[in-house]
Amino acid sequence: MIYFDNAATTIHKPEGVKKAVYDSLDTMGNPSRGAHEPSLRASRLVYDTREKLAALLGINDPSRIAFTLNATDALNIAVNFVVSSTDSIITTECEHNSVLRPLYKSGAELTVIRADKLGSIDHDIEIKNNTRAVFINHASNVTGNITDLKKISDLAHRNNALLVVDAAQTAGVIDIKAEETGIDILCFTGHKSLMGPQGTGGIYVRKDIDIKPFRVGGSGIHSFDREQPPHMPDVLEAGTLNCHGIAGLNAALDFIAETGTENIFAREKALADRFISGIRDIKGIRLYGDINAEKRAPIVTLNIDGISSDVLCDRLWTDYGICTRAGAHCAPLMHRALGTDKTGAVRFSFSYFNTEEEIDKGINALRELSEQ
Amino acid sequence: MREKKLYYIVTFSHTAEAMAFEKKCISENISGRLIPLPVEISAGCGLAWRMTKEEYEKYSEAITGFEGIYTLKM
């Protein structure tokens, strides 16, 4: 099997991840709920993981990071706190349904920035004085195109708007300096480029933003208060955390720190570039996104004229054992911008653990399928 | 019956603060350990750091990042 569906979930995890999850099942008690060793072990692990995430994401105070189920969960928390039905919000056609659906549900007035045929947006966004926030991704899950967050941050803050970033496709592979960039709320997941288990993710909330709880319940602290403790991270962490998953994420963060985000990016970019070079002259191929950009997430989305995307994806799997994703990729507005709303598209997404040999097999498979 | 001894009890507003405090103590060889918050004390976090009077006096200047400090015979 060749796995090119890493933008959905990475399945080739660093070796330490599996062991950490396995060992934690035997050793981790409930974090923040006791002073015996298994409970303390879990509390220490959670704190240590917060520290590692803070170091990776350019955040000074680890307690400004709360754990969530995934990026969707984090984005729902962010929208629930930031947006009310009377607000004016800016977002883009590049967004995933994890942003769009919570925004639609909020009832707020939405201004959606158009994407061009390459799936890129004009960064000179007009932000009005009454704009409450800009919701934008760091990289598109369809095209891999990157957003210049610093530019958007400067524009947003000049107009007193908050910047909420969906980093589902970039955390772990593309450098993020949350505080330096001026990100107010950063949402990320653990199971993609952070190479951790599913069911892990997080939300960073800038100091001085008094975020309100999304869920309430057990916190292990302030037990006689009728309300959820108001401070980060406890305000967003009602109920027992997924410590077994977080143990795996912790080990993945060790691997990322040892390897270096820049080396992981360079490796994945090289694999994506090799793939693009090998397929771009295939007859009838359509590549989406700004594939010539220097910096982009390792995603290559395509169609081949004469083969529907679902059939192409299925034959890659049944005839070649290659895992890709077909369909609409949960980003309906982006597909409309690219002109693939009726056809869907096949997405190849690479990881640090893919090999040149696998890339070449992928190229060969597309070539053969295009000739049939 | 076990004889009660005077301890200094360092309290925290939340778990992350307790974890950061423990980490700092371990790295700076400050003695003591985390215990369940004694019922006589009211604090945000259910964990507290217990240290002897001698330990506290030795390290008091290095101790930062907590909610409160109490003395208790236990």
Side-chain angles (χ1 to χ4, degrees):
Chain A
M1 182 187 81
I2 298 174
Y3 190 82
F4 291 153
D5 198 13
N6 295 285
T9 287
T10 48
I11 63 166
H12 298 302
K13 310 290 188 188
E15 202 51 41
V17 172
K18 288 167 258 182
K19 187 175 184 318
V21 173
Y22 186 83
D23 289 349
S24 76
L25 290 166
D26 261 342
T27 56
M28 295 287 165
N30 202 315
S32 306
R33 305 296 197 274
H36 53 73
E37 192 55 25
S39 177
L40 287 177
R41 214 177 275 140
S43 299
R44 289 178 193 126
L45 170 95
V46 167
Y47 184 73
D48 189 56
T49 311
R50 271 191 239 283
E51 282 195 324
K52 287 173 182 169
L53 284 167
L56 178 74
L57 301 172
I59 296 160
N60 276 314
D61 179 359
S63 69
R64 301 306 301 180
I65 299 170
F67 288 101
T68 63
L69 302 171
N70 45 46
T72 297
D73 191 38
L75 286 159
N76 271 271
I77 291 168
V79 171
N80 179 68
F81 169 68
V82 170
V83 185
S84 72
S85 59
T86 54
D87 281 332
S88 180
I89 298 293
I90 292 178
T91 191
T92 82
E93 286 188 334
C94 307
E95 306 313 310
H96 190 277
N97 271 338
S98 57
V99 171
L100 295 175
R101 284 179 174 161
L103 286 177
Y104 295 147
K105 185 168 175 270
S106 75
E109 179 198 28
L110 299 183
T111 302
V112 182
I113 305 298
R114 302 291 299 266
D116 63 20
K117 285 182 180 169
L118 290 179
S120 300
I121 56 157
D122 181 350
H123 279 57
D124 288 317
I125 295 174
E126 188 193 347
I127 301 174
K128 294 174 186 154
N129 281 336
N130 68 340
T131 300
R132 168 77 172 137
V134 179
F135 282 78
I136 198 163
N137 65 42
H138 191 196
S140 159
N141 71 309
V142 180
T143 62
N145 292 356
I146 298 278
T147 304
D148 181 346
L149 292 176
K150 183 67 182 143
K151 183 158 192 180
I152 305 293
S153 166
D154 290 345
L155 282 170
H157 293 149
R158 214 174 293 152
N159 293 280
N160 299 317
L162 295 171
L163 174 62
V164 182
V165 174
D166 167 13
Q169 292 298 336
T170 55
V173 64
I174 295 176
D175 198 27
I176 298 172
K177 291 186 172 62
E179 290 187 9
E180 192 181 309
T181 308
I183 296 168
D184 295 297
I185 297 180
L186 179 74
C187 303
F188 57 93
T189 191
H191 68 284
K192 300 182 192 277
S193 297
L194 284 177
M195 298 190 258
Q198 293 175 348
T200 61
I203 181 168
Y204 154 72
V205 181
R206 177 176 57 76
K207 190 181 160 198
D208 300 329
I209 295 179
D210 289 326
I211 195 161
K212 300 290 180 278
F214 183 64
R215 320 179 172 86
V216 295
S219 57
I221 63 172
H222 295 274
S223 291
F224 287 93
D225 292 355
R226 289 171 68 97
E227 293 178 351
Q228 193 71 11
H231 49 261
M232 283 286 289
D234 304 83
V235 66
L236 298 180
E237 290 183 349
T240 300
L241 290 175
N242 174 15
C243 275
H244 304 130
I246 292 169
L249 180 61
N250 188 294
L253 288 163
D254 283 342
F255 175 84
I256 291 168
E258 284 158 17
T259 310
T261 306
E262 64 286 357
N263 294 323
I264 292 171
F265 173 73
R267 167 88 187 141
E268 295 186 8
K269 172 83 166 39
L271 291 171
D273 285 350
R274 183 185 181 99
F275 185 68
I276 290 167
S277 298
I279 61 170
R280 65 190 314 164
D281 67 339
I282 289 176
K283 197 177 167 204
I285 199 151
R286 293 173 191 268
L287 295 170
Y288 303 105
D290 190 4
I291 56 168
N292 296 317
E294 194 57 36
K295 201 161 195 183
R296 52 191 306 281
I299 289 169
V300 181
T301 299
L302 57 85
N303 273 314
I304 297 177
D305 288 348
I307 313 174
S308 73
S309 61
D310 58 304
V311 170
L312 180 58
C313 176
D314 195 45
R315 294 222 32 210
L316 283 164
W317 170 240
T318 56
D319 298 6
Y320 298 91
I322 295 174
C323 306
T324 59
R325 180 167 168 191
H329 309 284
C330 305
L333 306 183
M334 179 57 108
H335 281 283
R336 270 177 220 148
L338 297 173
T340 56
D341 47 327
K342 299 281 192 297
T343 61
V346 181
R347 182 180 71 184
F348 292 71
S349 50
F350 307 107
S351 96
Y352 184 80
F353 294 108
N354 284 131
T355 65
E356 282 79 2
E357 191 188 353
E358 288 178 328
I359 296 293
D360 293 346
K361 283 182 179 171
I363 294 167
N364 183 55
L366 279 181
R367 233 169 239 294
E368 288 183 359
L369 288 167
S370 73
E371 287 161 4
Q372 290 176 14
Chain B
M1 199 174 126
R2 189 166 64 93
E3 192 185 341
K4 289 191 175 181
K5 199 173 157 186
L6 182 75
Y7 286 102
Y8 275 69
I9 307 295
V10 183
T11 64
F12 310 100
S13 59
H14 54 282
T15 311
E17 197 174 74
M19 291 301 109
F21 187 88
E22 184 193 48
K23 199 163 186 172
K24 178 183 157 72
C25 287
I26 291 169
S27 74
E28 295 180 17
N29 290 318
I30 298 174
S31 309
R33 72 178 178 91
L34 288 168
I35 60 166
L37 180 72
V39 293
E40 295 89 340
I41 297 172
S42 172
C45 181
L47 295 171
W49 182 263
R50 188 180 85 170
M51 59 203 308
T52 64
K53 184 170 182 288
E54 297 73 34
E55 287 161 350
Y56 175 75
E57 283 169 356
K58 190 170 165 191
Y59 299 113
S60 61
E61 284 182 14
I63 293 174
T64 54
F66 54 85
E67 189 180 71
I69 295 182
Y70 302 82
T71 54
L72 191 67
K73 275 196 165 179
M74 56 192 304

